Amino acid sequence: MAFGRWVGFAALIAAVVLLWDLRFVLIDLFGSVVLAVAFCTLVRAVQSRLGWRRWPSLALSLLLVVVLVIVVVVALVPPFSAQFRELIEQLPQAAQALQQLIGGDLSSAIQSNISNPEKWNLANSFSRVVELAGNFGIGLVQLVFVVAVALMLSVQPEDYRQVAVLMAPSYLRRRIAGVLDSCGQALSSWMVGVLISSVAVGFMAFVGLSLLGVKLTTANALLAGMLNVIPNVGPTLSVVFPMAVALLDTPWMSLAVLALYVVIQNFESYVITPSVMHHQVKLLPGLTLAAQGIFTVIFGFKGLLLALPLAVCLQVVVRELVVRDVLDTWKRPGRFC
C-alpha cells in the first residue's frame, strides 16, 4: 500500500477515535439542533399566522416558550413537592396498605428499618447524596449549554446551515444542503407528531384520573404528556407518582390507576403513534426500536432521550445519500462469456 494511503487510513482511524471521545459533546450539540428546529418551527408558525417578520415572530415565540416553562414549573413543582413530603411522612402507612394488596411482611420490614438508625448507613447515604448533587450540577450545566447553543442556532439558522454546507467539498455542497433541509423538515414533522401524541396522552390521563378522583389531576396529566416524549421509559415513570398518590388515599385506587395508564399507553402505542408518525415521518417501528437500543448503549440516557430524532435523521441520510446516490446508481453487470 502506498504511503499516501497509509496516511489516509491513519487519519481515518484518528478521526473515528476522536469522534468516539467526543460523542457526549456531539449528542449535546444534536440536542441543541433538535431544540433549535423546534423553536424555528414555532417561529415559522407564528410568521404564517400573524404575517410578521422574523425578528418580531422570534421575540413572540421566545416569550411564549418562557411563559409555558413558567406555567409548567408552577403547576408541577409546588404540588409535587408537598405531595412527596406527605408521601415520605406516610411511608409506613403506605407500606401497610401495599401489604394488604400483595401480602408479605413489607410493612414491618420498612418500619423496623425506619425505627432503627443503625441500619441507615449514614456514611454511605451521605456519599450518595453528594454524588447525586454533583451529577445534578453537571446535568444543569449541560442543560444550560444545550439551551444556549439552541438559542444561538435559532437566531441565525441560515448562517449556521451555510457553515455546515461549506464544510463539504464544492461538488457535494448542493446535495448536502438538500439533505440538511430534508432532515430539518423530517424533524419538524416528527415534533408535530410527538406534540399531538403527548397532548392526547395528557388529555386521556386527565379524564381518567378525574373520573377516578385522584388528587393532583392536572399536574399528573401534564407529567404524563411531558414524559411521553421519552420512549418506553417515560410512560413507565409517569405512572409512579399517581399510583403513590392513589395508594395514600385509597389502596385499591392505585391498581385502577395502573390499569388506566396501561390502557392509555396501549392506545397511544398501537393507535395514536402509528397513525400520526406514519402520516408525519413514516418512521419504521423496527428502526425505532433498534435506534433506542443502539443509541442508549453509545450515548447513555441522552441517547435514549434523543433516539427518535436521531432515527429520523438517520433514515433521511440513509435514504438520500446511500439509497439514492449509491445503490440506485448501480447497474446490473453484464454477462460474462
Side-chain angles (χ1 to χ4, degrees), residues 8-82:
F9 181 73
L12 177 63
I13 296 299
V16 171
V17 172
L18 180 62
L19 289 176
W20 178 259
D21 289 338
L22 295 176
R23 65 188 186 278
F24 295 111
V25 177
L26 294 177
I27 195 66
D28 288 340
L29 292 177
F30 181 77
S32 299
V33 171
V34 172
L35 289 180
V37 171
F39 189 68
C40 289
T41 303
L42 177 60
V43 172
R44 286 195 297 269
V46 172
Q47 281 184 287
S48 62
R49 292 284 184 180
L50 301 179
W52 291 359
R53 294 181 179 272
R54 176 172 174 79
W55 282 104
S57 301
L58 185 68
L60 179 60
S61 301
L62 183 60
L63 179 62
L64 290 175
V65 171
V66 172
V67 171
L68 179 62
V69 171
I70 293 175
V71 169
V72 170
V73 170
V74 171
L76 291 181
V77 174
F80 278 171
S81 300

Side-chain angles (χ1 to χ4, degrees), residues 37 41 44 177-192 280-281 312-313 316 319-320:
V37 171
T41 303
R44 286 195 297 269
V179 172
L180 289 177
D181 292 339
S182 298
C183 288
Q185 293 173 2
L187 282 177
S188 297
S189 300
W190 170 78
M191 289 168 188
V192 172
Q280 293 295 127
V281 294
V312 168
C313 292
V316 172
R319 183 183 67 238
E320 297 292 332

